PDB file of all heavy atoms in Angstrom:
ATOM      1  N   HIS A 260     -26.177  21.587  -1.291  1.00  0.00           N
ATOM      2  CA  HIS A 260     -26.798  22.114  -2.511  1.00  0.00           C
ATOM      3  C   HIS A 260     -26.816  21.107  -3.645  1.00  0.00           C
ATOM      4  O   HIS A 260     -25.775  20.742  -4.168  1.00  0.00           O
ATOM      5  CB  HIS A 260     -26.070  23.376  -2.991  1.00  0.00           C
ATOM      6  CG  HIS A 260     -26.137  24.499  -2.016  1.00  0.00           C
ATOM      7  ND1 HIS A 260     -27.286  25.220  -1.809  1.00  0.00           N
ATOM      8  CD2 HIS A 260     -25.215  25.001  -1.175  1.00  0.00           C
ATOM      9  CE1 HIS A 260     -27.059  26.132  -0.873  1.00  0.00           C
ATOM     10  NE2 HIS A 260     -25.813  26.017  -0.478  1.00  0.00           N
ATOM     11  N   ASP A 261     -28.029  20.691  -4.040  1.00  0.00           N
ATOM     12  CA  ASP A 261     -28.132  19.834  -5.218  1.00  0.00           C
ATOM     13  C   ASP A 261     -28.520  20.675  -6.437  1.00  0.00           C
ATOM     14  O   ASP A 261     -29.006  20.186  -7.438  1.00  0.00           O
ATOM     15  CB  ASP A 261     -29.114  18.677  -4.993  1.00  0.00           C
ATOM     16  CG  ASP A 261     -30.522  19.147  -4.708  1.00  0.00           C
ATOM     17  OD1 ASP A 261     -30.763  20.371  -4.654  1.00  0.00           O
ATOM     18  OD2 ASP A 261     -31.398  18.279  -4.548  1.00  0.00           O
ATOM     19  N   ASP A 262     -28.259  21.968  -6.337  1.00  0.00           N
ATOM     20  CA  ASP A 262     -28.534  22.925  -7.397  1.00  0.00           C
ATOM     21  C   ASP A 262     -27.477  22.777  -8.494  1.00  0.00           C
ATOM     22  O   ASP A 262     -26.285  22.881  -8.238  1.00  0.00           O
ATOM     23  CB  ASP A 262     -28.489  24.341  -6.786  1.00  0.00           C
ATOM     24  CG  ASP A 262     -28.819  25.427  -7.774  1.00  0.00           C
ATOM     25  OD1 ASP A 262     -28.509  25.273  -8.974  1.00  0.00           O
ATOM     26  OD2 ASP A 262     -29.365  26.452  -7.352  1.00  0.00           O
ATOM     27  N   ARG A 263     -27.921  22.535  -9.725  1.00  0.00           N
ATOM     28  CA  ARG A 263     -26.947  22.301 -10.789  1.00  0.00           C
ATOM     29  C   ARG A 263     -26.128  23.538 -11.131  1.00  0.00           C
ATOM     30  O   ARG A 263     -25.047  23.427 -11.688  1.00  0.00           O
ATOM     31  CB  ARG A 263     -27.625  21.712 -12.022  1.00  0.00           C
ATOM     32  CG  ARG A 263     -28.588  22.612 -12.707  1.00  0.00           C
ATOM     33  CD  ARG A 263     -29.251  21.877 -13.845  1.00  0.00           C
ATOM     34  NE  ARG A 263     -30.140  22.777 -14.565  1.00  0.00           N
ATOM     35  CZ  ARG A 263     -30.980  22.378 -15.466  1.00  0.00           C
ATOM     36  NH1 ARG A 263     -31.064  21.121 -15.774  1.00  0.00           N
ATOM     37  NH2 ARG A 263     -31.755  23.241 -16.079  1.00  0.00           N
ATOM     38  N   GLU A 264     -26.612  24.726 -10.803  1.00  0.00           N
ATOM     39  CA  GLU A 264     -25.810  25.932 -11.057  1.00  0.00           C
ATOM     40  C   GLU A 264     -24.547  25.936 -10.190  1.00  0.00           C
ATOM     41  O   GLU A 264     -23.475  26.283 -10.655  1.00  0.00           O
ATOM     42  CB  GLU A 264     -26.632  27.206 -10.820  1.00  0.00           C
ATOM     43  CG  GLU A 264     -27.609  27.505 -11.934  1.00  0.00           C
ATOM     44  CD  GLU A 264     -26.948  27.626 -13.311  1.00  0.00           C
ATOM     45  OE1 GLU A 264     -25.898  28.301 -13.438  1.00  0.00           O
ATOM     46  OE2 GLU A 264     -27.481  27.041 -14.267  1.00  0.00           O
ATOM     47  N   TYR A 265     -24.701  25.570  -8.909  1.00  0.00           N
ATOM     48  CA  TYR A 265     -23.515  25.463  -8.038  1.00  0.00           C
ATOM     49  C   TYR A 265     -22.575  24.397  -8.577  1.00  0.00           C
ATOM     50  O   TYR A 265     -21.364  24.583  -8.618  1.00  0.00           O
ATOM     51  CB  TYR A 265     -23.913  25.088  -6.604  1.00  0.00           C
ATOM     52  CG  TYR A 265     -24.331  26.244  -5.745  1.00  0.00           C
ATOM     53  CD1 TYR A 265     -25.578  26.255  -5.131  1.00  0.00           C
ATOM     54  CD2 TYR A 265     -23.462  27.305  -5.502  1.00  0.00           C
ATOM     55  CE1 TYR A 265     -25.973  27.315  -4.316  1.00  0.00           C
ATOM     56  CE2 TYR A 265     -23.849  28.361  -4.692  1.00  0.00           C
ATOM     57  CZ  TYR A 265     -25.102  28.363  -4.106  1.00  0.00           C
ATOM     58  OH  TYR A 265     -25.473  29.400  -3.305  1.00  0.00           O
ATOM     59  N   LEU A 266     -23.142  23.271  -8.979  1.00  0.00           N
ATOM     60  CA  LEU A 266     -22.337  22.181  -9.522  1.00  0.00           C
ATOM     61  C   LEU A 266     -21.563  22.664 -10.743  1.00  0.00           C
ATOM     62  O   LEU A 266     -20.346  22.493 -10.821  1.00  0.00           O
ATOM     63  CB  LEU A 266     -23.249  21.005  -9.897  1.00  0.00           C
ATOM     64  CG  LEU A 266     -22.622  19.888 -10.724  1.00  0.00           C
ATOM     65  CD1 LEU A 266     -21.482  19.221  -9.971  1.00  0.00           C
ATOM     66  CD2 LEU A 266     -23.678  18.859 -11.104  1.00  0.00           C
ATOM     67  N   PHE A 267     -22.260  23.273 -11.673  1.00  0.00           N
ATOM     68  CA  PHE A 267     -21.620  23.708 -12.916  1.00  0.00           C
ATOM     69  C   PHE A 267     -20.548  24.766 -12.644  1.00  0.00           C
ATOM     70  O   PHE A 267     -19.456  24.711 -13.198  1.00  0.00           O
ATOM     71  CB  PHE A 267     -22.679  24.231 -13.892  1.00  0.00           C
ATOM     72  CG  PHE A 267     -22.304  24.012 -15.318  1.00  0.00           C
ATOM     73  CD1 PHE A 267     -22.479  22.767 -15.904  1.00  0.00           C
ATOM     74  CD2 PHE A 267     -21.755  25.024 -16.074  1.00  0.00           C
ATOM     75  CE1 PHE A 267     -22.111  22.546 -17.222  1.00  0.00           C
ATOM     76  CE2 PHE A 267     -21.387  24.813 -17.387  1.00  0.00           C
ATOM     77  CZ  PHE A 267     -21.576  23.568 -17.968  1.00  0.00           C
ATOM     78  N   GLU A 268     -20.874  25.712 -11.774  1.00  0.00           N
ATOM     79  CA  GLU A 268     -19.916  26.776 -11.461  1.00  0.00           C
ATOM     80  C   GLU A 268     -18.639  26.220 -10.832  1.00  0.00           C
ATOM     81  O   GLU A 268     -17.531  26.576 -11.233  1.00  0.00           O
ATOM     82  CB  GLU A 268     -20.555  27.808 -10.517  1.00  0.00           C
ATOM     83  CG  GLU A 268     -19.624  28.953 -10.165  1.00  0.00           C
ATOM     84  CD  GLU A 268     -20.253  29.998  -9.269  1.00  0.00           C
ATOM     85  OE1 GLU A 268     -21.409  29.803  -8.806  1.00  0.00           O
ATOM     86  OE2 GLU A 268     -19.587  31.014  -9.013  1.00  0.00           O
ATOM     87  N   THR A 269     -18.791  25.331  -9.854  1.00  0.00           N
ATOM     88  CA  THR A 269     -17.607  24.815  -9.165  1.00  0.00           C
ATOM     89  C   THR A 269     -16.759  23.929 -10.075  1.00  0.00           C
ATOM     90  O   THR A 269     -15.534  23.984 -10.034  1.00  0.00           O
ATOM     91  CB  THR A 269     -17.977  24.062  -7.868  1.00  0.00           C
ATOM     92  OG1 THR A 269     -18.889  23.007  -8.170  1.00  0.00           O
ATOM     93  CG2 THR A 269     -18.592  25.006  -6.843  1.00  0.00           C
TER      94      THR A 269
END
Side-chain angles (χ1 to χ4, degrees):
H260 297 287
D261 61 359
D262 183 328
R263 66 184 183 190
E264 284 303 314
Y265 276 123
L266 169 62
F267 211 80
E268 181 178 6
T269 57

